[in-house]
Amino acid sequence: MTAARQRILSGAKPTADSLHLGNYIGAVRQWVDMQSQYDAVFFIPDLHAVTVDFEPGELARRTRTVAAQYIAAGIDPEQSIFFVQSHVPEHAELAWVLNCITGFGEASRMTQFKDKSAKAGADAATLGLFAYPTLMAADILLYQADLVPVGEDQRQHLELTRNLAQRFNARYGNVFTVPDATILKATAKIYDLQNPTAKMSKTGESPNGAIQLLEDPKIAAKRIKSAVTDAGTEIRFDADAKPGVSNLLTIYSTLTGRSVAELEEAYAGKMYGHLKVDLAEVVVDFLTPLRNRTNELLEDPAELDRLLARGAERARAIASVTLANAYDKMGFLPRAGR
Ligand code: TYM
């Protein structure tokens, strides 16, 4: 008998008009690489998207855009389970259970909550934002995921997920697999092009700091060419002393498959301008087909919706079993007729 394949699970929020290059390099790329060796679950966490200000008129379009970007990047919706979080009500249901075993202090220590609530102000920060990490834990635990490929900024949420799984299992009986984060050191944090000590994000201060996967590749090329570097001249990887140049080398290396050492050698004695011009071309060559394919997929929203509906059915078949098991262990009165 062959052992069951390990399961991986991950997702990216539909909080902007496009995913950015940090999402791709830090996460989506790993998913594509891993999906054939693992039993894979990829979803679009739209319930997470409403924990901060959002436009109701934009949410559905952004959700479909992320779905199209997953497929354009190489996620195979037949091979992998691919769905929208709000289509599977078990996520919100298990999140409630997890809220009831999470300490107030424990949730208060989540750095993303601290950052986001500080930005939003005390009244604008909602209970939903506070409970964001328990919903994320529910996303993972419902599917008994073994591995969760994410960027560095999700590490603390994964730690909490592990703690909650262990706590539930110890308190009520064994239900959940305790997952591990898969965070690739070299690409775990892609930095803002204008502020290379901050991570590239959907809400960075300068629009020039991020490369949007759906934007005009010519604009992306300009952003690479105007990336902040340093007053030196040497093209060398040194994340502390040369964060801007190091970030460009990481992006270059990931998109071409050439190692950083090989790039350092190839650019020895050359100027930053050379590196930027070449990388701008690499980025354009990467973005152009990805963007075209995404737009093509978006022209047929009915087909995307069909794939997502099919994925939600597959997801529910797994999630409903885990939730029923958790309820059972907790001693809820079973619903008659089930
Ligand atoms: P989100 O939508 O912010 O980002 C999606 C993925 O992209 C990674 N990422 C980065 N990686 C490297 N460099 C960057 N600059 C960068 N910016 C973002 C993130 O680490 C993430 O892996 N909470 C999650 C979504 C989520 C989730 C889940 C993920 C909800 N439920 C369950 C895994 C499992 C988030 O906000 O990702």
Side-chain angles (χ1 to χ4, degrees), residues 60 70 85 102 105 130 154 161 215 247 252 260 306 326 329:
Y70 283 10
Q85 187 186 32
T102 305
F130 191 55
Q154 299 303 317
T161 304
E215 75 191 346
N247 191 38
Y252 200 145
V260 168
R306 191 190 67 76
K329 289 279 197 302

Side-chain angles (χ1 to χ4, degrees), residues 121-295:
D123 287 335
T126 62
L127 277 180
L129 185 65
F130 191 55
Y132 179 116
T134 47
L135 176 60
M136 177 161 165
D139 300 338
I140 298 167
L141 300 181
L142 273 177
Y143 300 90
Q144 311 288 14
D146 299 288
L147 299 174
V148 183
V150 285
E152 178 62 38
D153 59 353
Q154 299 303 317
R155 187 185 291 279
Q156 197 188 25
H157 292 158
L158 258 297
E159 246 343 284
L160 177 72
T161 304
R162 290 172 55 83
N163 289 339
L164 293 178
Q166 281 159 346
R167 190 174 305 159
F168 185 101
N169 289 347
R171 201 172 282 180
Y172 301 113
N174 217 357
V175 173
F176 300 119
T177 301
V178 180
D180 279 310
T182 305
I183 301 175
L184 296 187
K185 194 164 174 284
T187 53
K189 193 165 175 183
I190 300 299
Y191 294 88
D192 187 290
L193 298 171
Q194 288 299 311
N195 178 10
T197 52
K199 77 168 178 184
M200 183 180 286
S201 76
K202 291 171 188 134
T203 51
E205 270 160 31
S206 157
N208 284 330
I211 303 273
Q212 305 301 334
L213 300 182
L214 257 188
E215 75 191 346
D216 182 346
K218 282 197 219 87
I219 296 176
K222 275 200 194 127
R223 295 200 174 137
I224 295 286
K225 288 180 194 161
S226 61
V228 167
T229 47
D230 55 65
T233 53
E234 213 187 335
I235 297 177
R236 174 171 59 82
F237 190 96
D238 181 336
D240 294 325
K242 302 169 87 63
V245 173
S246 304
N247 191 38
L248 295 180
L249 285 170
T250 301
I251 296 172
Y252 200 145
S253 164
T254 332
L255 296 185
T256 58
R258 296 169 70 184
S259 70
V260 168
E262 188 188 332
L263 291 171
E264 283 175 332
E265 204 176 306
Y267 285 92
K270 294 198 176 152
M271 310 222 286
Y272 290 167
H274 288 126
L275 175 71
K276 288 183 179 176
V277 167
D278 291 352
L279 177 57
E281 205 178 302
V282 165
V283 167
V284 169
D285 288 348
F286 163 73
L287 287 183
T288 306
L290 186 66
R291 179 177 186 243
N292 292 344
R293 180 75 187 119
T294 305
N295 285 330

